[in-house]
Amino acid sequence: MKVTVNRKAHFNAAHRLFRPEWSDEKNLEVFGKCSNPHYHGHNYDVTVSVTGQVDQKTGFVMDMKELKDIIKTEIEDVFDHKNLNEEVPEFNSSASGLNPTSENIVVVIWKKLRPHINKSHDLAVTLYETPRNFVSFNGG
Ligand code: NI
């Protein structure tokens, strides 16, 4: 019997979407307001979903306290109140890092969490950049 447990988390972060080799006009055309050279912030919401067998003895798929602590250490402490382009190595603009789009952020989050989740469990992450714009990744 497989059940999915979900934990919500939140972080505020600044970013800028741009290609350094493109002009400001081209960046504005492709990335819109998210290309602002002076950065801007988003209130990101995250849902982490872990699917697996319910343990016969505990009745848990996984201990939610443990999941909470993993999310705090791996995601909130790393992303909250940070400038993603400047302070998170995966997105480091000066080292040709990834553009911090929702798509790239959700994959980075998934990769940071995966090693800490039981191998027999499935992991999916949903990231909300705004209440209406959200992306999800399950490793596929
Ligand atoms: Ni943005």
Side-chain angles (χ1 to χ4, degrees):
M1 186 173 59
K2 284 192 170 182
V3 173
T4 300
V5 298
N6 303 281
R7 169 91 192 166
K8 286 185 179 176
H10 178 79
F11 62 88
N12 301 320
H15 77 165
R16 180 193 180 198
L17 303 182
F18 72 111
R19 300 294 321 171
E21 70 274 24
W22 291 353
S23 67
D24 285 351
E25 292 73 24
K26 169 91 172 176
N27 277 309
L28 181 64
E29 182 190 321
V30 174
F31 298 116
K33 287 194 287 190
C34 281
S35 76
N36 177 2
H38 302 291
Y39 302 102
H40 61 279
H42 289 280
N43 296 314
Y44 290 97
D45 282 309
V46 186
T47 302
V48 176
S49 304
V50 178
T51 302
Q53 296 289 339
V54 177
D55 184 275
Q56 293 287 314
K57 292 196 174 112
T58 63
F60 294 158
V61 171
M62 84 174 279
D63 184 336
M64 293 302 272
K65 170 73 164 61
E66 188 191 341
L67 183 57
K68 175 187 171 185
D69 291 345
I70 292 167
I71 292 169
K72 179 175 189 313
T73 306
E74 296 299 320
I75 308 305
E76 291 171 344
D77 289 353
V78 176
F79 292 93
D80 191 36
H81 285 74
K82 296 293 169 61
N83 178 320
L84 300 178
N85 300 74
E86 301 281 341
E87 298 178 272
V88 177
E90 286 87 345
F91 305 114
N92 191 322
S93 305
S94 57
S96 52
L98 297 164
N99 232 350
T101 60
S102 298
E103 290 88 333
N104 284 332
I105 297 169
V106 78
V107 171
V108 167
I109 289 174
W110 187 93
K111 286 181 174 171
K112 292 173 87 63
L113 294 174
R114 182 67 267 191
H116 302 278
I117 306 291
N118 188 323
K119 282 191 177 60
S120 61
H121 292 162
D122 293 326
L123 173 65
V125 178
T126 301
L127 176 74
Y128 290 76
E129 188 174 82
T130 72
R132 295 183 188 202
N133 291 344
F134 55 99
V135 298
S136 47
F137 184 63
N138 65 4

